[in-house]
Amino acid sequence: MIIFISGGVRSGKSRAAENMIQTFCTKRAVYIATSRQTDKEMKNRIQLHQKERQAANTPWVTIEQSVELQKILPNIQSDDAVLLDCVTNWLANELFLTEKRWQTKEGKQSVVCHMIEALDKLFAQSQTVVLVSNELFEAGLLEEPTYSYMHMLGKLHQYIVEKADVAICVEAGLSRFKKGKECVSK
């Protein structure tokens, strides 16, 4: 089962994703954290998420991996319920962290292809994958590098939703099913 959960910043999408994992978890829940601790606010948000997972009745295993998701795939077991939080940060890390890949068409294509390849491997080896991502900027024209980033994020979202059994948009803590509500009714 592939479940895509999107929404605005602080909309409740991570909590919805964790609840979804708890619904499908049979043995081990794996939390792939793509965020990097860049400032005090991010540090506090990471700590909050960690405390919430510790308080849950689900046996969470957290893997911090901001880039090169392929490197951790050998640690994922076929019966794991995997939560990848979040695609937005993962793309930013892959695109902007080490080199200026966004400056060339080939660089941007390489990043998207690399990420899709990792996702396909994750989807093939895990029985349940829940992916979280942000809905960003519904504004008009954007300048570089924001335009490239938004364009690539949109492509990734479309790819994931095409593969997904369920797609949910979370607003103010409320989940709106966009695709496959019947799949999650247990």
Side-chain angles (χ1 to χ4, degrees):
M1 166 106 25
I2 300 169
I3 301 167
F4 179 68
I5 300 177
S6 65
V9 174
R10 292 191 169 82
S11 62
K13 60 192 174 301
S14 291
R15 179 169 287 126
E18 290 172 9
N19 289 340
M20 196 67 66
I21 287 289
Q22 291 171 5
T23 300
F24 289 99
C25 184
T26 57
K27 286 192 177 181
R28 190 173 80 144
V30 177
Y31 190 104
I32 301 173
T34 63
S35 295
R36 295 181 316 116
Q37 190 171 308
T38 55
D39 57 23
K40 188 175 181 176
E41 179 186 4
M42 186 55 82
K43 179 181 178 180
N44 291 339
R45 290 182 70 193
I46 290 170
Q47 289 174 340
L48 175 66
H49 282 283
Q50 289 169 340
K51 285 178 186 175
E52 288 174 348
R53 286 194 305 276
Q54 288 170 356
N57 292 328
T58 303
W60 286 101
V61 174
T62 301
I63 302 173
E64 305 279 342
Q65 191 72 24
S66 62
V67 293
E68 299 292 335
L69 192 67
Q70 293 89 330
K71 290 181 180 179
I72 62 158
L73 293 180
N75 300 325
I76 307 296
Q77 300 166 13
S78 63
D79 56 355
D80 286 342
V82 178
L83 170 54
L84 191 151
D85 193 359
C86 80
V87 174
T88 316
N89 286 324
W90 181 31
L91 173 59
N93 295 336
E94 293 286 356
L95 192 59
F96 301 119
L97 188 61
T98 57
E99 47 187 272
K100 296 185 179 191
R101 297 177 187 173
W102 64 268
Q103 292 181 327
T104 67
K105 182 178 181 180
E106 295 80 18
K108 291 182 270 194
Q109 287 176 336
S110 173
V111 168
V112 170
C113 288
H114 185 69
M115 291 176 72
I116 286 174
E117 182 180 304
L119 289 171
D120 284 342
K121 288 178 182 176
L122 179 62
F123 297 158
Q125 85 179 61
S126 302
Q127 69 178 9
T128 303
V129 180
V130 177
L131 303 105
V132 174
S133 196
N134 289 322
E135 292 296 333
L136 303 175
F137 303 111
E138 293 183 10
L141 258 9
L142 302 169
E143 294 182 21
E144 289 293 352
T146 306
Y147 174 79
S148 289
Y149 175 77
M150 298 304 299
H151 189 257
M152 294 169 70
L153 185 63
K155 282 185 174 184
L156 283 168
H157 283 186
Q158 290 177 44
Y159 181 81
I160 294 167
V161 170
E162 181 181 307
K163 296 280 186 180
D165 300 293
V166 176
I168 300 168
C169 183
V170 178
E171 294 178 12
L174 300 174
S175 296
R176 288 188 338 207
F177 285 77
K178 301 289 193 168
K179 178 181 179 182
K181 183 175 184 172
E182 65 280 354
C183 293
V184 294
S185 300
K186 274 193 147 182

